[in-house]
Amino acid sequence: MIFRMSKVENPIGVFDSGVGGLSVLRAMRALMPNENMIYLGDQGHVPYGPRPMEEIQKFSERITRFLLKQNSKLIVVACNTASAAALTYLRKQFPEVTFVGMEPAVKPAAETTRTGRVGVLATPATFQGALYASVVERFGTAVELFQNTCPGLVGQIEKGELTSTATRSILEDALGPMLEKNIDTVVLGCTHYPFVIPLIEQIVGKNVRVIDPAPSVARQAKRLLEAAGMLNQSGERGAVRFLTSGDPASMKSLLPLLLGSQGEVQPFVWKGDREI
Ligand code: DGL
């Protein structure tokens, strides 16, 4: 395991196709405020959702290599799509590294639904992957699942449009038919979507539970670090370094809206087969 070669003050590496993983980073910061973190948003390639699995694997591998070069002690794949397409692949490519990945939270939904009907919002690649099929097989057979890929929603969130009419109408199109089927739970199977929870709650009303998986992913990361004796307990607030393969100015301008704080964003440049 990579832990053995690491120091507690080494950063946790976190990545996503764009700004979605910031919903996971936010939960991790709240739970583990002393940890240093590196966040990489692959905005040069967002969205991942409609891309072929092999391509998402290639991007995830190169990002992981970069995060390891920065001495990451743990890698959090803060993206359901990259987890669905590449987590098994990454674990094979980097057997010495500890990864935390994501899967749609069908299990807690199935355990608490009263109507037995659950909506799942995620990207096309997440629904197509073997990971989702296995989640459904393990936890979803006793409930009825209604899936929607919310076309265009990731792009809206990347633009910071959390409350616009266009964003609302994508969500209404996705959730309307599910509400007609009497769902009482909505699983957010994409890390971008927690940023529009207020809008989702306006549409579905008080009687529908909305599940954001970020806090449980943060708890899992903390558990692994604790078990390995690698939790940073320095007492000082950890630093976060942000990088994007897209436009640093644009990510920087979104940080206050999405994280509630400012930050500098550095460019991450893909060049040939290497990142610089
Ligand atoms: N944030 C992502 C997820 O959790 C990916 C969205 C995308 O790039 O399509 O699935």
Side-chain angles (χ1 to χ4, degrees):
M1 290 283 136
I2 191 84
F3 289 132
R4 255 184 253 143
M5 309 181 303
S6 295
K7 300 190 186 124
V8 280
E9 60 272 24
N10 285 1
I12 302 173
V14 185
F15 77 91
D16 177 48
S17 60
V19 295
L22 293 173
S23 65
V24 178
L25 184 104
R26 180 174 62 177
M28 288 171 54
R29 291 282 281 165
L31 195 66
M32 300 178 282
N34 302 330
E35 293 296 336
N36 295 310
M37 299 182 194
I38 302 186
Y39 182 86
L40 199 155
D42 190 11
Q43 290 179 298
H45 296 124
V46 71
Y48 277 7
R51 291 179 186 272
M53 299 285 176
E54 298 71 32
E55 193 175 27
I56 302 169
Q57 288 172 357
K58 199 181 84 194
F59 295 153
S60 301
E61 179 177 352
R62 286 169 66 178
I63 292 169
T64 298
R65 250 178 237 298
F66 171 79
L67 293 173
L68 291 175
K69 262 194 226 155
Q70 314 305 305
N71 296 319
S72 297
K73 59 181 178 184
L74 172 72
I75 305 284
V76 177
V77 185
C79 175
N80 287 84
T81 307
S83 296
L87 194 57
T88 307
Y89 174 82
L90 290 175
R91 287 189 166 131
K92 265 197 208 121
Q93 297 297 313
F94 304 96
E96 74 289 4
V97 176
T98 307
F99 289 93
V100 175
M102 312 200 53
E103 61 181 28
V106 171
K107 182 173 185 242
E111 283 166 358
T112 55
T113 174
R114 284 159 285 115
T115 61
R117 292 165 168 221
V118 171
V120 185
L121 309 182
T123 67
T126 297
F127 285 131
Q128 282 153 26
L131 186 64
Y132 185 68
S134 123
V135 166
V136 173
E137 198 182 295
R138 279 178 290 147
F139 311 116
T141 46
V143 295
E144 219 175 324
L145 298 171
F146 299 91
Q147 280 123 222
N148 196 289
T149 59
C150 301
L153 185 57
V154 167
Q156 291 298 106
I157 295 165
E158 286 288 321
K159 286 190 278 182
E161 287 198 25
L162 306 187
T163 53
S164 69
T165 319
T167 305
R168 173 181 274 274
S169 99
I170 294 171
L171 283 167
E172 280 172 350
D173 288 350
L175 295 164
M178 296 181 180
L179 290 169
E180 275 167 29
K181 300 284 184 191
N182 198 24
I183 58 155
D184 67 353
T185 312
V186 177
V187 172
L188 303 185
C190 169
T191 54
H192 280 75
Y193 301 168
F195 292 117
V196 288
I197 285 177
L199 199 49
I200 293 174
E201 285 178 342
Q202 274 177 27
I203 296 166
V204 299
K206 281 198 181 66
N207 296 329
V208 175
R209 178 182 177 211
V210 180
I211 302 184
D212 170 7
S216 77
V217 172
R219 283 196 297 276
Q220 169 68 357
K222 187 177 180 188
R223 264 196 300 271
L224 288 173
L225 290 172
E226 254 168 356
M230 291 303 294
L231 194 67
N232 189 341
Q233 290 162 320
S234 68
E236 267 173 48
R237 191 158 171 77
V240 188
R241 195 177 144 205
F242 298 95
L243 293 112
T244 178
S245 58
D247 174 18
S250 136
M251 186 192 265
K252 184 177 159 67
S253 72
L254 284 177
L255 291 179
L257 177 69
L258 302 180
L259 279 185
S261 58
Q262 307 269 358
E264 291 308 315
V265 182
Q266 297 169 316
F268 172 80
V269 184
W270 297 97
K271 205 179 173 201
D273 257 354
R274 282 186 348 206
E275 66 289 333
I276 49 170

